[in-house]
């Protein structure tokens, strides 16, 4: 949590939270947030998808051909993967993804991926390979938001899937672009930093995603908002049923107009952070940074714990969970599946990305198989695929 000082001065706490914010615990504040049924339903499926992906990665990492691991091995990891009712029960819930069979040599149950699941794995791998230039740009942007233009390599490993990087990105991206990236040894053993050496050729790409949406909004003929008001504003879309009083709307309008330093701009002079304007400017820059971070992810969502690894390097002095909770018009925080995940609101409509990408579409097919469960077992794959699309 932010300090008591920030709780008193922070505009977001007064702007978006209830008057009793400082009298409640963080858990109570999370529980009292306005719920969005669409994101809750989506995350209900995602929490099972994350478990499926964990098992899928275990299978794919095996040396056998085709890839397979013993049921006993998965069972030993049940607690870590959060398989509350055991591995066998979970695997049998998704026969379109997992195939359980008796190994002819080892004489025990093994688990492999079905042809449908392997096809999706290949599709995602091909999509990542084709979009490699975009992955390089994403990595440059992430490093450019760092105050020192470098980040711990372990932090990048936390979000490599979210950024759509290949699993061998150290070789396929870092080693093959020595003029852009470099690895630097840290003070501790086995600690390395990824350093941005030169971003001149990517300078035109260092434009925050929010600037594009502002430009689009500004160019609309029916735009009724003052052009100067759009200069520092973010798109807002509040949860259904959330009460927006006059005082609340007025403060949102004031916050939208307030200037701030963008995520790719250099922080030079240090403003008095004990002043109201200083705190507000610091907080709005932090919102701009996490907004840009989410915009760079493939699915416009990430676990809060993962983004917290970048907080110090991005110069964010506030708790990122507080930022997400205090700005429900921009972010949606879900607590499903024993993890806190945050979605970028403006990127979604009816539970789907408004502007999908090839990697997202492949992962969405796997989510479709999760939603399918045990249905369609007596049908051909083509029929099952059609039903999967209707359920996503």
């Amino acid at each position: 949590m932010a300090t008591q000082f920030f709780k008193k001065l922070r505009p977001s706490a007064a702007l978006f939270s209830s008057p009793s914010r400082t009298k409640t615990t963080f858990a109570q504040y999370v529980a009292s947030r306005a719920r969005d049924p669409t994101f809750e339903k989506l995350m209900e499926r995602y929490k099972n998808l994350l478990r499926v992906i964990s098992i899928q990665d275990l299978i794919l990492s095996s040396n056998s051909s085709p890839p397979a691991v013993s049921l006993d091995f998965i069972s030993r990891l049940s607690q870590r993967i959060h398989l509350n009712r055991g591995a066998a029960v979970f695997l049998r819930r998704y026969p379109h993804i997992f195939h359980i069979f008796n190994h002819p040599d080892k004489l025990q149950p093994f688990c492999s991926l079905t042809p449908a699941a392997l096809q999706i794995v290949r599709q995602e791998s091909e999509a990542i390979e084709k979009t490699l230039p975009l992955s390089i740009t994403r990595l440059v942007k992430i490093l450019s938001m760092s105050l020192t233009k470098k980040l711990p390599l372990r932090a990048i490993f936390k979000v490599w899937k979210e950024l759509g990087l290949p699993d061998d990105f150290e070789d396929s991206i870092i080693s093959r672009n020595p003029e852009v990236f470099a690895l630097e040894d840290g003070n501790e053993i086995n600690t390395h930093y990824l350093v941005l050496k030169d971003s001149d050729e990517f300078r035109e790409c260092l434009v925050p995603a929010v600037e594009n949406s502002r430009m689009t909004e500004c160019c609309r003929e029916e735009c009724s908002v003052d052009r100067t008001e759009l200069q520092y504003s973010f798109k807002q879309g509040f949860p259904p049923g959330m009460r927006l009083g006059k005082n609340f709307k007025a403060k949102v309008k004031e916050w939208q107009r307030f200037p701030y330093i963008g995520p790719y701009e250099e922080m030079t002079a240090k403003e008095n952070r004990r002043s109201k304007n200083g705190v507000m400017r610091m907080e709005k820059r932090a919102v701009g940074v996490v907004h840009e971070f989410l915009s760079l992810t493939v699915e416009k969502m990430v676990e809060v714990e993962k983004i917290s690894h970048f907080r110090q390097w991005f110069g964010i002095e506030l708790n990122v969970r507080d930022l997400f909770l205090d700005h429900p018009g921009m972010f949606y925080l879900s607590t499903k599946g024993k993890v806190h995940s945050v979605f970028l609101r403006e990127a979604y409509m009816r539970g789907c990305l408004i502007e999908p990408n090839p990697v997202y579409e492949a992962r969405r097919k796997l989510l479709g198989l999760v939603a399918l469960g045990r249905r369609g077992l007596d049908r051909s794959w083509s029929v099952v695929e059609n039903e999967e699309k209707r359920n996503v």
Side-chain angles (χ1 to χ4, degrees):
M1 291 291 291
T3 63
Q4 290 295 325
F5 170 75
F6 283 128
K7 284 184 179 179
K8 292 178 181 178
L9 282 186
R10 243 181 33 213
S12 61
L15 177 59
F16 294 107
S17 61
S18 64
S20 61
R21 167 68 192 277
T22 56
K23 298 179 182 180
T24 60
T25 65
F26 181 75
Q28 289 172 328
Y29 186 41
V30 172
S32 65
R33 75 194 188 283
R35 305 294 179 92
D36 191 315
T38 301
F39 282 109
E40 289 296 301
K41 183 178 179 181
L42 176 61
M43 201 59 207
E44 184 67 33
R45 293 178 178 176
Y46 257 106
K47 71 178 185 180
N48 289 324
L49 175 65
L50 294 176
R51 295 166 184 161
V52 166
I53 291 175
S54 297
I55 299 174
Q56 177 181 273
D57 290 345
L58 288 175
I59 295 172
L60 292 174
S61 64
S62 68
N63 295 323
S64 61
S65 181
V69 294
S70 69
L71 202 60
D72 180 62
F73 176 71
I74 300 175
S75 296
R76 291 200 299 268
L77 298 174
S78 291
Q79 189 173 1
R80 184 185 299 180
I81 308 174
H82 304 298
L83 306 181
N84 299 328
R85 299 181 61 188
V89 173
F90 184 83
L91 294 171
R92 290 191 176 97
R93 284 172 58 187
Y94 304 106
H96 295 291
I97 303 173
F98 303 114
H99 172 58
I100 300 176
F101 64 97
N102 289 318
H103 199 284
D105 298 326
K106 300 186 178 180
L107 303 177
Q108 61 174 312
F110 264 63
C111 180
S112 64
L113 295 176
T114 64
L118 285 171
Q119 182 181 346
I120 292 173
V121 170
R122 285 192 293 269
Q123 183 179 344
E124 180 180 345
S125 179
E126 290 170 1
I128 290 174
E129 183 66 28
K130 289 179 181 178
T131 57
L132 206 56
L134 289 177
S135 299
I136 296 173
T137 302
R138 288 192 197 105
L139 203 51
V140 168
K141 286 187 169 186
I142 291 290
L143 287 164
S144 297
M145 288 195 290
S146 169
L147 300 181
T148 58
K149 301 298 180 287
K150 71 177 183 179
L151 291 167
L153 190 61
R154 65 176 181 272
I156 302 295
F157 271 112
K158 293 281 185 180
V159 294
W160 68 274
K161 279 197 171 184
E162 285 81 353
L163 296 177
L165 303 177
D167 53 6
D168 64 340
F169 72 89
E170 282 187 273
D171 295 324
S172 58
I173 292 183
I174 298 174
S175 298
R176 294 183 187 179
N177 295 276
E179 71 285 356
V180 181
F181 306 111
L183 285 177
E184 182 181 286
D185 291 334
N187 296 328
E188 300 178 7
I189 299 176
N190 296 326
T191 301
H192 303 282
Y193 295 99
L194 180 60
V195 181
L196 182 63
K197 295 176 64 176
D198 185 10
S199 62
D200 286 344
E201 64 176 296
F202 298 91
R203 194 166 299 279
E204 293 182 1
C205 299
L206 299 181
V207 178
V210 68
E211 291 292 341
N212 296 326
S213 62
R214 288 169 186 160
M215 184 67 68
T216 302
E217 181 67 21
C218 188
C219 294
R220 286 197 307 117
E221 293 182 2
E222 65 273 19
C223 179
S224 59
V225 183
D226 187 353
R227 299 300 193 267
T228 57
E229 199 171 310
L230 286 172
Q231 186 177 0
Y232 300 110
S233 67
F234 290 86
K235 192 171 183 179
Q236 303 279 347
F238 296 96
M242 183 176 177
R243 295 181 180 180
L244 307 178
K246 289 183 179 180
N247 188 45
F248 178 89
K249 291 179 180 179
K251 289 183 177 179
V252 169
K253 192 172 185 179
E254 177 189 1
W255 188 86
Q256 290 278 59
R257 290 177 172 177
F258 199 85
Y260 70 101
I261 300 173
Y264 300 118
E265 297 178 41
E266 295 289 340
M267 295 181 67
T268 52
K270 288 190 176 181
E271 190 173 356
N272 180 13
R273 297 183 179 181
R274 296 186 67 87
S275 67
K276 178 181 177 181
N277 283 350
V279 174
M280 185 180 287
R281 201 181 306 277
M282 178 178 62
E283 184 233 5
K284 192 161 185 179
R285 179 190 173 273
V287 168
V289 169
V290 294
H291 181 282
E292 182 67 6
F293 189 96
L294 284 168
S295 299
L296 292 174
T297 61
V298 169
E299 299 175 79
K300 315 306 177 192
M301 65 164 288
V302 70
E303 289 181 24
V304 177
E305 183 183 352
K306 292 182 178 181
I307 197 173
S308 295
H309 288 276
F310 297 88
R311 188 172 65 88
Q312 174 189 347
W313 299 89
F314 290 160
I316 298 175
E317 298 183 14
L318 305 175
N319 188 295
V320 290
R321 283 183 176 85
D322 283 354
L323 294 177
F324 299 140
L325 287 168
D326 292 341
H327 295 271
M330 298 167 57
F331 312 110
Y332 185 74
L333 183 69
S334 172
T335 60
K336 293 279 187 182
K338 297 186 179 181
V339 294
H340 287 189
S341 300
V342 62
F343 293 84
L344 184 61
R345 271 192 169 278
E346 65 191 68
Y348 279 81
M349 180 178 289
R350 296 178 181 177
C352 298
L353 275 188
I354 297 174
E355 297 180 3
N357 55 75
V359 180
Y360 165 82
E361 289 175 340
R363 294 176 182 175
R364 192 75 182 186
K365 286 187 176 181
L366 185 60
L367 180 62
L369 291 185
V370 171
L372 197 59
R374 295 186 59 84
R375 288 174 292 169
L377 291 178
D378 56 340
R379 305 178 185 180
S380 65
W381 168 241
S382 61
V383 175
V384 169
E385 191 176 33
N386 291 332
E387 185 171 352
E388 168 209 331
K389 292 178 180 178
R390 290 197 297 272
N391 280 283
V392 172

